[in-house]
Amino acid sequence: MNNVFVYCEIEGTTVADVSLELLTKGRKLANQLGCRLEAVVAGNGLDGIEKQVLPYGVDTLHVFDAPGLFPYTSLPHSSVLINLFKEEKPQICLMGATVIGRDLGPRVSSALTSGLTADCTSLEIGNHEDKKAGITYENLLYQIRPAFGGNIVATIINPEHRPQMATVREGVMKKEILDAGYKGEVVKHDVAKYVPVTDYVVKVIDRHVEQAKHNLKGAPIVVAGGYGVGSKENFNLLFDLAKELHAEVGASRAAVDAGFCDHDRQIGQTGLTVRPKLYIACGISGQIQHIAGMQDAGIIISINNDENAPINTIADYVINGTVEEVLPKMIKYYKQNTK
Ligand SMILES: Cc1cc2nc3c(=O)[nH]c(=O)nc-3n(C[C@H](O)[C@H](O)[C@H](O)COP(=O)(O)OP(=O)(O)OC[C@H]3O[C@@H](n4cnc5c(N)ncnc54)[C@H](O)[C@@H]3O)c2cc1C
């Protein structure tokens, strides 16, 4: 009762990375609150799924295994969570800010009248004093996210209603196995008790899943370009450098909007979150919406012709110059040094 729950997304029989990241966060929140971490998986052919989930410190794994639960459709998965939560009364529920989470989260929260904060960038536990009512609420979930176009960081709380629900995008939290041999309980539920047959009205006849064209999220080195790169042709310099460094190419939104680079490479608040060992920012000014997606990089190198560019304040190394003059030299000397 009143535990932290994470809804784990399944693709086939594999738990999505974003869910594992949320289990790591959920474990920390549960430790702070002194409660248990519970996870929910719903799909088909889930024998052995606990091996993927329990090592993240999950105390109870709820398994819903039935032919109609994979591929995901809205109604059965909503019924699973709504009816389980009516029994278990979680205090917190986390899920990925993915296509599935964005569909499922609002359905569950509106059925339970709980409220939900989408796209959180940080989750913390804290108190809140309502001075007018003279009430102090303890151990609330601070649901932290950028608001008003990213100009402020808002902390959203939900003092009265439960569960406190939040979605988080992939890559924002860090995934860490707690203990490969962690002992948690596995509860296999009778799906028919939770999902009425009428929920299976939608049948998925055919599915096409497009594989990602790059591995920007997992790349140890990212060469990212901004509006200062100037053109799509100049972006080829970034691809050349990336090839030498075995890196991936990313971009700011301004570069994507200008057509210099594909949208799926955008980094930032409305793009991907990356944490490479090395981030080379080329012609990027460093607006807060961009920084939100790369500030956890190990080392940041900024190449910019403006020595006062905001990104320089968070960069470990600043190269003051134009992309056109600096990148060819980097490629040349890197090639020479690795011969
Ligand atoms: C709701 C919202 C969400 C957003 N989400 C994102 C997001 O996810 N990701 C994102 O990136 N942005 C996002 N933005 C946009 C963000 O506010 C900035 O507009 C954008 O990041 C600026 O991109 P930039 O740094 O490439 O361009 P600019 O700000 O135009 O900076 C260009 C930089 O290049 C330098 N420069 C110019 N010429 C050269 C040269 N030849 N060589 C070297 N340097 C040069 C300039 O000095 C400057 O520092 C969002 C905005 C909003 C309102």
Side-chain angles (χ1 to χ4, degrees), residues 148-151 225-230 234 251-255 257 266-272 282-291 303-306 309-311 321-324:
F148 295 108
N151 293 316
Y227 193 65
V229 173
N234 281 357
S252 73
R253 178 155 143 184
D257 288 349
Q266 183 183 314
I267 291 168
Q269 187 190 315
T270 43
L272 296 167
C282 311
I284 294 179
S285 61
Q287 301 305 312
I288 186 163
Q289 296 90 353
H290 184 77
I291 299 223
I303 303 169
N304 202 301
N305 63 358
D306 174 6
I311 197 155
T322 66
V323 168
E324 299 86 325

Side-chain angles (χ1 to χ4, degrees), residues 22 39 61 72 74 87 99 117 122 125 133 168 176-177 194 206 215 249 252 260 296 313 319 323 332-333:
L22 288 175
L61 171 63
Y72 170 89
S74 310
E87 289 170 10
V99 173
T117 305
S122 177
I125 301 295
V168 179
E176 267 166 355
I177 287 184
Y194 292 81
D206 200 5
N215 178 28
V249 172
S252 73
F260 302 166
D296 290 333
T313 60
I319 302 174
V323 168
K332 182 176 154 197
Y333 290 116

Side-chain angles (χ1 to χ4, degrees), residues 14 30 55 97 116 165 190 270 293 298 305 317:
T14 306
L116 174 148
M165 291 185 67
D190 177 359
T270 43
N305 63 358
Y317 300 95

Side-chain angles (χ1 to χ4, degrees), residues 165-216:
M165 291 185 67
T167 67
V168 179
R169 291 157 78 111
E170 185 173 358
V172 172
M173 306 287 169
K174 219 172 171 179
K175 119 181 145 177
E176 267 166 355
I177 287 184
L178 183 75
D179 171 1
Y182 195 84
K183 295 268 173 290
E185 167 197 18
V186 180
V187 183
K188 293 191 175 164
H189 291 276
D190 177 359
V191 177
K193 284 193 185 147
Y194 292 81
V195 184
V197 279
T198 48
D199 276 5
Y200 297 110
V201 62
V202 174
K203 298 247 183 303
V204 179
I205 296 163
D206 200 5
R207 273 176 102 225
H208 294 276
V209 181
E210 201 175 315
Q211 295 301 322
K213 292 185 204 109
H214 53 72
N215 178 28
L216 193 50

